[in-house]
Amino acid sequence: METHTSQSYKVVETCLLAGKIMLQSGAETYRVEDTMTRIAYAFGIKGTHSFVTPTGIIFSIDGSEPTKLVRVSERSTDLKKVTIVNSISRKLTSGELSLSEAFDELKVIERTNFAYPIWIQITAAAISSGCFLIMFNGGWHDFLPAIITGGLGFTGFIYLHRLVQVKFFSECLASLIIGLLAVLFVRSGLGNEIDKIIIGSVMPLVPGLLITNAVRDLMAGHLVSGISKGAEAFLTAFAIGTGIAVVISFFSIL
């Protein structure tokens, strides 16, 4: 009986750790629940219940085991971690991994940072800003201003977020930088279309994955999670719009 309880406790810990890593890395709610259920099922536990929101996971199994809660305070986008956790879940299901091995691998994944270096992220944001400008029918003469504006705006977002620790304000200030640079480029004659430069430059800040997951969760019936993610995406859009609106309003007066 004691051995069975210990095994169940370990399974629950493994399920919660896998779910926590996936939720922190930007996985959809249904995927988190499905992965936890499959891991538990692989060890003969069929009666599982989970409630996943963007900020926490509640998981329990039928019987005398207590319900456990995991708090998720920081979230980012790291699809590689999601892929690796999915792979571990499949290996558990097929018997290629034992429970202890899977738990150890998950702990290693939790500690590992797979994110690209900051300079690569900034370079990618800068290049994508120029490409988005072309995609939105901007002219090639605004390509370089969009690259510089988007790159500096994303740089501002990264470092301001470390200082402010409030995502709304860091996004708002980053969009303020983008708006100022776009105005300076156009007024100095180095850029022509301020709207195209701004649209292209703010795209790296737009939470595309969050919006997609919000719609996916709402369609799947995960109303709490879908609405929460939708509200988070709305706040990001509001922060970007506020920063740009402040700059445009200020310079339209001058």
Side-chain angles (χ1 to χ4, degrees), residues 34 55 85 131 144 152 157 160 181 184 207 233-234 246 248 253:
D34 183 64
T55 56
V85 174
C131 294
L144 187 59
L152 291 177
F157 168 71
L160 287 169
L181 288 172
L184 289 175
F234 173 78
V246 168
I248 298 297
I253 294 174

Side-chain angles (χ1 to χ4, degrees), residues 174-192:
S175 61
L176 199 69
I177 293 172
I178 289 171
L180 284 171
L181 288 172
V183 169
L184 289 175
F185 273 119
V186 172
R187 293 210 169 188
S188 64
L190 298 175
N192 287 341

Side-chain angles (χ1 to χ4, degrees), residues 121-131 143 146-152 154 200 204:
Q121 295 182 38
I122 293 172
T123 302
I127 295 173
S128 64
S129 297
C131 294
F143 185 73
I147 284 180
I148 297 173
T149 304
L152 291 177
F154 192 75

Side-chain angles (χ1 to χ4, degrees), residues 11-224:
V11 170
V12 171
E13 288 290 309
T14 305
C15 291
L16 283 171
L17 182 57
K20 180 185 176 185
I21 294 171
M22 295 183 77
L23 198 60
Q24 286 177 327
S25 304
E28 309 95 316
T29 300
Y30 86 93
R31 191 184 299 277
V32 175
E33 292 184 347
D34 183 64
T35 300
M36 291 191 299
T37 303
R38 287 177 184 274
I39 291 174
Y41 192 81
F43 294 95
I45 301 174
K46 299 179 181 177
T48 61
H49 309 279
S50 59
F51 182 72
V52 179
T53 70
T55 56
I57 301 172
I58 300 173
F59 187 80
S60 72
I61 60 178
D62 287 340
S64 58
E65 300 298 324
T67 301
K68 295 204 69 173
L69 165 69
V70 168
R71 173 79 174 167
V72 177
S73 55
E74 293 186 7
R75 298 177 299 279
S76 63
T77 302
D78 193 337
L79 299 183
K80 185 171 184 178
K81 282 191 176 182
V82 176
T83 304
I84 294 175
V85 174
N86 273 331
S87 175
I88 290 175
S89 169
R90 292 191 191 96
K91 288 180 180 177
L92 274 173
T93 305
S94 61
E96 295 179 47
L97 279 178
S98 67
L99 184 59
S100 298
E101 289 172 338
F103 187 79
D104 292 340
E105 285 197 22
L106 288 171
K107 292 298 285 185
V108 172
I109 294 168
E110 185 184 28
R111 291 191 297 267
T112 306
N113 181 15
F114 293 107
Y116 287 106
I118 297 296
W119 70 270
I120 292 182
Q121 295 182 38
I122 293 172
T123 302
I127 295 173
S128 64
S129 297
C131 294
F132 275 118
L133 175 130
I134 299 301
M135 194 180 79
F136 289 119
N137 296 322
W140 283 102
H141 43 268
D142 288 328
F143 185 73
L144 187 59
I147 284 180
I148 297 173
T149 304
L152 291 177
F154 192 75
T155 303
F157 168 71
I158 290 176
Y159 288 101
L160 287 169
H161 188 56
R162 292 181 180 179
L163 294 174
V164 181
Q165 293 291 323
V166 178
K167 194 179 175 187
F168 178 86
F169 290 112
S170 54
E171 289 168 340
C172 186
L173 292 173
S175 61
L176 199 69
I177 293 172
I178 289 171
L180 284 171
L181 288 172
V183 169
L184 289 175
F185 273 119
V186 172
R187 293 210 169 188
S188 64
L190 298 175
N192 287 341
E193 298 178 279
I194 188 172
D195 56 334
K196 297 293 193 307
I197 296 174
I198 289 175
I199 291 171
S201 302
V202 301
M203 288 306 290
L205 302 177
V206 173
L209 181 63
L210 195 61
I211 295 171
T212 304
N213 284 349
V215 174
R216 175 65 180 79
D217 286 344
L218 285 173
M219 291 176 68
H222 298 285
L223 300 181
V224 174

